[in-house]
Amino acid sequence: MLGVRGLSKSFGAKRVLDGVDLDLTQGESLVVIGGSGTGKSVLLRCILGLEVPDAGTILWRGRPLAEARAEFMDGFGMLFQNAALFDSLPVWRNVAFRLMGRMPKVEAREIAVEKLARVGLGPEVADLFPAELSGGMRKRAGLARAIAADPQVIFFDEPTTGLDPIRAATINELIRGIVDETGATAITITHDMSSVRAIADRVALLDRGRVRWQGDLAAMETAPDDYLHDFIAGRARPMARIPE
Ligand SMILES: Nc1ncnc2c1ncn2[C@@H]1O[C@H](COP(=O)(O)OP(=O)(O)OP(=O)(O)O)[C@@H](O)[C@H]1O
């Protein structure tokens, strides 16, 4: 459904992505992990068309995404790292952002309230402003916005950043539930191994601009790769090579 072929991107002399290849089938949940600065966000930005790669192609349903950009953009949802809600709009307008203009306001609001309910926020939250929400509630509202237009592909950018472990687990469960329910294809980038275990069907580890390892979640624990195991365990070895 979504393929990345030989994607490369440099900033000045710094080669951040150096031939990344990935494939996602419909309904699959891929979690991309990798150390800080390994290019996870750059990869996401290239897929979203916010960054122009130096080389490589992104395929969407077998066609270069560049040729199907409008169709792709219509069918994607995104949960941003800090929820990225518009502070001047009430929560329901944030959730309904993609729906406004496509349908009458009253209908958009109804869908927003329904999506808020799906993420565990009651109708009383709809008219609050983002500043009145806790961090966990903001994430939930961001998640409701990501699913408002029933996307076929959803991107989750560090979905648990800034949350305590219990709230993080709730968000992970919501994401997994939503992906299962909607059959959406999902790409998550994260450092949080609890997210990996809760959300992933498949895991890809980025290292020095390439996919160092990828495989099913179950295979991750026994994969013959020391760096992957250090990453999973959050372990720093004396004199270990930390990829830059
Ligand atoms: N617009 C840009 N201009 C110059 N360098 C950039 C730009 N965007 C990203 N980089 C560099 O690319 C590298 C990868 O950045 P990226 O944000 O993708 O890392 P990441 O894997 O998402 O890291 P983190 O997990 O810390 O968020 C970094 O060294 C960063 O400084």
Side-chain angles (χ1 to χ4, degrees):
M1 179 177 208
L2 190 65
V4 174
R5 299 276 180 281
L7 198 72
S8 296
K9 177 74 186 172
S10 298
F11 293 101
K14 186 169 190 175
R15 182 161 273 224
V16 176
L17 301 179
D18 187 16
V20 171
D21 293 308
L22 285 172
D23 269 298
L24 274 106
T25 55
Q26 170 112 34
E28 187 175 35
S29 173
L30 173 75
V31 176
V32 180
I33 57 175
S36 295
T38 47
K40 302 181 296 298
S41 305
V42 172
L43 170 65
L44 200 61
R45 294 210 300 268
C46 286
I47 296 173
L48 293 174
L50 301 173
E51 205 79 75
V52 181
D54 301 327
T57 319
I58 295 156
L59 299 170
W60 166 244
R61 297 189 159 141
R63 278 202 293 158
L65 179 54
E67 290 171 16
R69 178 66 60 193
E71 181 201 326
F72 176 76
M73 294 312 271
D74 258 4
F76 97 101
M78 166 112 199
L79 174 61
F80 294 91
Q81 193 165 339
N82 298 311
L85 301 174
F86 299 111
D87 286 337
S88 59
L89 297 178
V91 169
W92 83 263
R93 285 287 304 273
N94 268 281
V95 174
F97 197 74
R98 298 279 297 274
L99 307 175
M100 301 300 277
R102 292 190 194 178
M103 60 183 69
K105 191 172 156 184
V106 65
E107 209 175 299
R109 185 188 160 95
E110 251 171 51
I111 294 176
V113 168
E114 180 196 306
K115 301 296 179 188
L116 285 167
R118 175 62 191 89
V119 300
L121 295 175
E124 70 285 358
V125 174
D127 293 309
L128 297 178
F129 282 85
E132 298 175 89
L133 306 183
S134 69
M137 291 166 84
R138 289 172 73 90
K139 285 273 190 202
R140 285 173 193 254
L143 187 52
R145 179 174 63 187
I147 60 171
D150 297 326
Q152 294 159 337
V153 184
I154 318 181
F155 298 93
F156 300 101
D157 183 6
E158 303 278 1
T160 55
T161 298
L163 299 181
D164 66 60
I166 294 170
R167 284 182 178 80
T170 310
I171 292 293
N172 288 335
E173 272 169 34
L174 275 171
I175 289 176
R176 184 69 239 190
I178 284 166
V179 169
D180 285 343
E181 241 167 71
T182 60
T185 305
I187 302 184
T188 304
I189 61 176
T190 187
H191 297 114
D192 181 350
M193 289 311 299
S194 74
S195 292
V196 177
R197 294 195 171 92
I199 298 172
D201 295 320
R202 203 151 55 80
V203 181
L205 173 68
L206 276 191
D207 175 27
R208 288 174 289 177
R210 288 176 177 251
V211 176
R212 178 186 176 115
W213 179 86
Q214 64 177 310
D216 291 346
L217 178 66
M220 180 180 80
E221 310 290 348
T222 53
D225 187 313
D226 286 347
Y227 175 59
L228 174 65
H229 289 293
D230 287 351
F231 196 91
I232 295 171
R235 190 169 47 216
R237 297 176 189 225
M239 307 299 288
R241 177 188 66 79
I242 299 174
E244 287 300 338

